[in-house]
Amino acid sequence: MFHLFRYKIPDKYTYEFRNTYSYINIKQVAILATVLLMIAIGVRMTSIFYNEELASMPNLNSYNILNFIQICGSAIFIILSSYAIKRENWSTSIRNSIVLVFCLFLLSTSFTISYLFSQFNPKNTLTIFLTGVLAVSIFFALELKHIILISIYIVFLFVVAMMIPDINSLQKLLNIIMSGVLSFFMYACSRYSYYFRAEQFVKVKQLEEKNLEVQLLNHQKSEILGFVAHDLRNPLNNIEALTRIVLEEQKENDNTEMQLILSSTRQAKSIIDDLLEIAQHDKTPFRLQNTNIIAFMDKICYNWQKNLKNERQIVFNASNQELVAAIDTSKLTRVIDNLIVNGLKFSKSGSPINIDVLKFDDSCMIKVTDFGIGIPLDLQSLLFDQFSKAGRPGLRGEKSVGLGLHISRQIIEQHKGTLTLQSKENEGTTFTVSLPLN
């Protein structure tokens, strides 16, 4: 508890906290001064309309003078605080000085009202003064030196006030004791308020620093991935080209080793493409163009069937109507290619891959279905994660780094579409791409 009373914000955040809360405190001055002005004007209007009823009220002249001071003082603080908010070149100490003077003004006027209501014995009624004390301690984040000064000022107000009325020494002593209690109450409430505001500010700043660190690390990771992947691609291209030359020259020979080199090179290039896609995510803008999805998919299926020759069948089914959607053709081709590769990887040789294109409401549905080993239920929720743990080797030993489906879903989502799956073990898997139609 006592730690809160002498709490000090860490030096690292002291300047920024003081500067930030000097603006917040000034805004609070503008708000409270406006409220005080409205109340004072309301009281003034009441005295005009009910002048006869209030004529017999004790200390009426004092109330009138105090009301005039409240109106003028509040108006001055509204103007001053509004000007201070706009003046960015004003120092923190100037703004804090305005806040301090306003707190003293608020306490003085609220004390005077209580003083007059209590017939010069403020311990009899402290309601309005307590309102001022709570307003100062709750609405403002005051520095330790300022709250000590304000606490002393409360005692000073009571001491001065006790010089005016003709009351006995015991009553005066009770008022002085009351001023000490109120002073401590003000100090305690203000320090609690300051502590929680400062702690929240520090936590937010620490969180911002952590976020900046994470962003920097992500940027560095992307730069490293891009650099490594780009530099690896060139030697792999050379290996692939040389391997093809050797295979062309030795067509009649069964060169299994060269075929293995070529296959491994292509697999490595596929992994590099995935890494580059991750590194360049959100950097390369999509080039959307209105495309006939049926013609687009027919071309992809034709190219795949041509490459596969008669080893596997790509069965393409589509409605006769034209389905037009805004797509990035190269990105969507990458998605479909990846889904077909997955289907080939996890199904037996000779098993077909079915591709269906159909319209559903205002969407175009592209279904890629294989009749392979399927995906276990416990792995389906992990399948689209980056570097997914659900990655499994294919039926012919093909390796996976768990990036393909993650990238595919990102691409589809950037098209404002969805990528979902349905699968049963030992029956097959269907991936469904849904794209909004124009």
Side-chain angles (χ1 to χ4, degrees):
M1 179 177 176
F2 291 105
H3 166 70
L4 300 181
F5 293 160
R6 49 188 176 81
Y7 172 79
K8 183 181 179 184
I9 193 169
D11 294 337
K12 182 179 180 180
Y13 306 103
T14 300
Y15 173 78
E16 193 171 1
F17 176 79
R18 287 177 176 172
N19 186 58
T20 300
Y21 267 90
S22 67
Y23 279 105
I24 295 175
N25 286 340
I26 280 290
K27 290 178 181 178
Q28 298 285 51
V29 168
I31 294 169
L32 289 178
T34 302
V35 172
L36 188 61
L37 178 63
M38 292 174 65
I39 293 173
I41 291 174
V43 171
R44 174 58 60 183
M45 296 299 293
T46 302
S47 66
I48 293 173
F49 289 110
Y50 297 95
N51 186 45
E52 293 182 4
E53 289 81 351
L54 296 173
S56 60
M57 181 178 176
N59 305 315
L60 182 59
N61 290 333
S62 298
Y63 281 120
N64 284 330
I65 294 171
L66 179 60
N67 182 254
F68 180 75
I69 292 173
Q70 285 179 319
I71 292 173
C72 294
S74 299
I76 290 171
F77 278 109
I78 290 171
I79 296 170
L80 195 60
S81 59
S82 301
Y83 189 71
I85 292 170
K86 297 177 182 178
R87 300 291 293 183
E88 295 181 0
N89 59 336
W90 279 19
S91 66
T92 302
S93 59
I94 294 176
R95 289 191 290 270
N96 287 341
S97 298
I98 295 172
V99 173
L100 176 62
V101 173
F102 176 77
C103 289
L104 297 177
F105 170 76
L106 182 61
L107 289 172
S108 299
T109 54
S110 61
F111 175 82
T112 306
I113 293 172
S114 290
Y115 187 63
L116 293 174
F117 267 122
S118 65
Q119 298 295 306
F120 308 111
N121 192 357
K123 81 173 183 64
N124 293 336
T125 172
L126 292 169
T127 305
I128 298 176
F129 185 52
L130 279 173
T131 303
V133 169
L134 285 173
V136 171
S137 58
I138 292 173
F139 286 102
F140 299 101
L142 298 170
E143 297 292 327
L144 181 61
K145 59 184 178 182
H146 291 155
I147 195 60
I148 291 176
L149 178 61
I150 291 173
S151 299
I152 294 172
Y153 182 71
I154 290 175
V155 177
F156 171 76
L157 283 175
F158 274 81
V159 171
V160 172
M162 290 304 99
M163 296 179 181
I164 299 174
D166 184 18
I167 56 177
N168 59 50
S169 299
L170 178 59
Q171 291 295 321
K172 291 183 178 180
L173 178 61
L174 290 175
N175 275 283
I176 299 299
I177 293 173
M178 182 61 68
S179 71
V181 173
L182 286 174
S183 178
F184 179 77
F185 176 75
M186 158 79 79
Y187 180 83
C189 289
S190 180
R191 293 317 291 168
Y192 268 102
S193 176
Y194 182 88
Y195 169 78
F196 289 117
R197 283 189 172 98
E199 283 292 287
Q200 182 186 25
F201 183 85
V202 170
K203 288 177 181 177
V204 169
K205 286 300 171 184
Q206 288 174 340
L207 185 60
E208 289 177 357
E209 291 171 0
K210 292 295 181 184
N211 285 337
L212 288 175
E213 290 177 11
V214 170
Q215 290 176 12
L216 178 61
L217 289 173
N218 281 333
H219 177 72
Q220 291 174 342
K221 179 198 73 175
S222 297
E223 294 293 330
I224 292 170
L225 282 175
F227 177 77
V228 171
H230 184 271
D231 279 11
L232 282 175
R233 181 182 272 175
N234 290 332
L236 284 172
N237 285 336
N238 294 334
I239 293 171
E240 183 181 16
L242 291 171
T243 305
R244 287 189 179 198
I245 292 172
V246 172
L247 287 172
E248 287 292 328
E249 291 176 350
Q250 300 179 2
K251 281 184 178 180
E252 298 178 358
N253 300 329
D254 182 15
N255 202 327
T256 307
E257 291 82 2
M258 285 298 172
Q259 290 287 357
L260 183 60
I261 292 172
L262 183 61
S263 175
S264 298
T265 303
R266 288 174 175 170
Q267 184 180 355
K269 285 179 65 179
S270 176
I271 294 172
I272 287 172
D273 289 340
D274 287 344
L275 290 174
L276 281 174
E277 186 71 37
I278 291 293
Q280 295 173 354
H281 179 58
D282 290 336
K283 294 180 183 178
T284 306
F286 275 29
R287 298 172 182 173
L288 300 178
Q289 56 185 20
N290 290 334
T291 305
N292 184 345
I293 299 299
I294 294 177
F296 169 77
M297 290 300 301
D298 185 53
K299 183 179 179 181
I300 291 177
C301 293
Y302 173 79
N303 290 334
W304 268 98
Q305 190 64 69
K306 184 179 177 181
N307 291 330
L308 292 171
K309 299 178 181 178
N310 294 323
E311 297 174 9
R312 304 286 287 272
Q313 288 294 315
I314 304 293
V315 181
F316 179 58
N317 298 303
S319 59
N320 293 325
Q321 63 185 127
E322 188 180 74
L323 302 178
V324 179
I327 62 170
D328 184 312
T329 54
S330 64
K331 297 284 188 182
L332 188 57
T333 299
R334 178 179 177 81
V335 172
I336 302 302
D337 285 347
N338 184 58
L339 297 180
I340 293 174
V341 167
N342 274 346
L344 296 171
K345 188 190 299 184
F346 295 106
S347 59
K348 295 179 181 180
S349 299
S351 175
I353 302 294
N354 288 355
I355 297 180
D356 300 287
V357 179
L358 51 99
K359 182 181 179 183
F360 182 77
D361 292 336
D362 294 327
S363 299
C364 172
M365 313 285 282
I366 304 171
K367 295 178 177 287
V368 180
T369 305
D370 67 70
F371 303 93
I373 61 174
I375 303 167
L377 190 61
D378 60 319
L379 295 182
Q380 291 182 19
S381 61
L382 306 173
L383 207 61
F384 295 101
D385 294 345
Q386 185 173 322
F387 298 107
S388 173
K389 295 179 181 179
R392 299 174 294 165
L395 296 182
R396 285 159 292 281
E398 302 95 334
K399 294 183 178 179
S400 171
V401 293
L403 284 174
L405 290 174
H406 170 75
I407 294 169
S408 296
R409 172 169 276 188
Q410 285 188 328
I411 291 173
I412 297 303
E413 286 177 349
Q414 286 182 294
H415 280 86
K416 294 181 171 53
T418 59
L419 174 59
T420 57
L421 73 93
Q422 288 180 320
S423 183
K424 287 186 179 181
E425 287 193 79
N426 302 317
E427 292 186 20
T429 301
T430 299
F431 285 95
T432 302
V433 174
S434 176
L435 296 170
L437 289 170
N438 283 352

